[in-house]
Amino acid sequence: MTTTRVPRPRRDWEAPDRPLWVSVEGINGVGKTTAVRAVAASLGSRCLRLDELTDQAGDTLPGQVIAALAACGDVCLRTGHPVVETLALLALKFREFERLNPELLAGVDVVLEDRGVDSVAVCQGAILHDEHLPTPARAVAEQILATARRWRSMPDATLLLTGDREVCVARFAARIGRTLPASALEVIEQTDHLYRELAAAEPNRFTVIDVTGHGPEETGKAVEGAVRALVAQREVGRAS
């Protein structure tokens, strides 16, 4: 009888004094990155910011992988091999997690992540569903998350920013200087639905923040308030 070993996250990350891991999620153009950078700047050295994979420098391994996935010019990083794309993105998120050593985390209270494994699950879930319509997108997304959980811990808390999808898409298109094709709009719409479904299924991990009508400063303040509340809540739990 063959026994399959299930990998476990690193034990140093399971230590009781480890930082609080907070991921920030949402569709393109909702204001995640601007908010994450503002909050990280406000918290200073207490916060370790993990940039979105697509914002990694081109001379890094993540940057090179993203460049390869974007080589076809698709804004959703589609190359025609969705399973390979999914595994590549998950591998980058696993690598990011494994590289957090005690020295890097010294003095850090919060790890603030701009897009985490939930992004991989919902975006690739939408794309894989489009390739295999009989399989519900939600089922695909949950399978991707189940795979992630075998290799690393999930964030302690996830802040999901929601807003007017048309406004978000317009912001995203303006930022990249391109008109989004119908295929990309379909993925974004499906991604929006999947985020909300995952948040409803895991209310203890997700906090939904509606930023409809908010500017960058308002969104940043809303995210900072939520992060500070999560840190305070954790401190109370440690003291009790």
Side-chain angles (χ1 to χ4, degrees):
M1 179 177 179
T2 302
T3 301
T4 301
R5 178 179 176 272
V6 178
R8 284 183 51 78
R10 295 176 358 163
R11 290 191 177 276
D12 56 352
W13 183 253
E14 296 173 349
D17 59 344
R18 65 175 176 77
L20 181 74
W21 186 307
V22 181
S23 63
V24 182
E25 301 284 0
I27 63 172
N28 300 90
V30 77
K32 299 178 309 300
T33 299
T34 301
V36 165
R37 291 176 178 174
V39 174
S42 178
L43 295 178
S45 61
R46 295 173 52 207
C47 178
L48 174 64
R49 189 186 84 215
L50 301 180
D51 288 329
E52 185 173 351
L53 288 176
T54 53
D55 292 333
Q56 303 290 319
D59 60 351
T60 64
L61 176 61
Q64 292 169 355
V65 173
I66 295 300
L69 295 178
C72 296
D74 191 290
V75 297
C76 298
L77 305 181
R78 287 175 293 192
T79 65
H81 304 281
V83 174
V84 175
E85 297 153 13
T86 302
L87 293 175
L89 292 169
L90 280 178
L92 291 179
K93 300 309 292 184
F94 298 157
R95 177 180 183 270
E96 181 179 64
F97 181 82
E98 287 296 324
R99 288 168 65 87
L100 295 180
N101 56 53
E103 291 74 25
L104 188 62
L105 297 175
V108 172
D109 294 331
V110 182
V111 175
L112 192 59
E113 182 181 27
D114 185 355
R115 284 198 185 276
V117 290
D118 291 291
S119 276
V120 178
V122 299
C123 294
Q124 295 305 116
I127 290 169
L128 286 162
H129 167 69
D130 192 50
E131 297 283 329
H132 305 280
L133 292 176
T135 305
R138 168 79 177 276
V140 180
E142 289 180 338
Q143 183 59 51
I144 293 171
L145 287 177
T147 300
R149 286 187 173 97
R150 290 171 61 89
W151 292 89
R152 51 159 285 178
S153 300
M154 296 296 287
D156 297 299
T158 297
L159 305 180
L160 173 60
L161 306 188
T162 62
D164 185 304
R165 188 166 60 247
E166 291 187 4
V167 172
C168 294
V169 167
R171 286 178 186 161
F172 178 51
R175 187 172 76 236
I176 64 175
R178 295 171 57 183
T179 299
L180 299 180
S183 60
L185 294 175
E186 290 173 3
V187 170
I188 292 173
E189 180 179 3
Q190 183 70 260
T191 296
D192 190 18
H193 291 314
L194 286 172
Y195 269 131
R196 295 169 190 264
E197 290 178 10
L198 291 182
E202 289 191 71
N204 291 334
R205 177 164 69 91
F206 278 86
T207 297
V208 179
I209 303 175
D210 186 357
V211 296
T212 302
H214 286 19
E217 185 175 354
E218 290 176 289
T219 299
K221 287 181 178 179
V223 172
E224 181 173 353
V227 171
R228 290 186 181 276
L230 288 166
V231 172
Q233 181 180 354
R234 190 182 199 204
E235 292 304 314
V236 169
R238 282 176 172 174
S240 60

